[in-house]
Amino acid sequence: MIVGLPELKLHLRVDESPEYTVEDALIRAYASAAETMVKNWIGRPFYAEAADLPAIGAPEYDADQMVADDAIRVAVKMMTERFYQNRGGEGGAAEDAVPPASVRALLAGHRIFARVPASQLQLRTGPLLP
């Protein structure tokens, strides 16, 4: 997880004392789902630290991989909070399938809309308009 359990519990305003661990597994599950949702939304993998990035040539290497910055970390915390607060879902409306506007705004600069293999890219020369 790119956001640790103590930081998530602080964000969620859940008791952080060592004796209170009853919701730890639930919070971790929501955080994992939130990370997956954010990765799917931006269309690229991210990692907690540079040391975690797969090396070029490794099977899990992705040319668009990145280290999670504060915007991604906040987005994961916000989505974890949303899952935590709405444990039974939200009602099934179409807008429930996408992150809320505030999360989308945080992630806008990281989003990749289409991936085109380098072999399919063509350089265009000359004027852009006929």
Side-chain angles (χ1 to χ4, degrees):
M1 291 190 325
I2 65 161
V3 181
L5 185 62
E7 189 176 348
L8 287 166
K9 289 175 94 171
L10 180 65
H11 179 81
L12 297 171
R13 296 185 177 107
V14 172
D15 187 353
E16 296 180 68
S17 64
E19 306 84 42
Y20 189 78
T21 59
V22 69
E23 291 194 314
D24 288 3
L26 182 65
I27 293 169
R28 282 189 188 101
Y30 289 149
S32 178
E35 279 191 29
T36 298
M37 185 175 208
V38 169
K39 284 178 184 177
N40 289 341
W41 184 258
I42 66 173
R44 62 198 301 183
F46 53 79
Y47 298 89
E49 300 176 15
D52 299 332
L53 292 170
I56 296 173
E60 62 277 2
Y61 173 78
D62 187 304
D64 295 315
Q65 68 191 14
M66 62 181 291
V67 174
D69 64 4
D70 287 341
I72 289 176
R73 294 173 55 77
V74 170
V76 168
K77 286 191 275 190
M78 290 172 72
M79 288 308 305
T80 302
E81 178 181 10
R82 185 173 181 167
F83 295 149
Y84 184 80
Q85 296 296 330
N86 301 296
R87 296 178 188 211
E90 297 181 48
E95 60 269 9
D96 292 342
V98 298
S102 56
V103 172
R104 293 193 311 262
L106 283 169
L107 300 174
H110 299 300
R111 194 161 187 211
I112 296 174
F113 288 94
R115 289 180 160 208
V116 179
S119 61
Q120 294 180 3
L121 292 176
Q122 297 177 3
L123 291 177
R124 183 179 174 136
T125 58
L128 294 177
L129 298 174

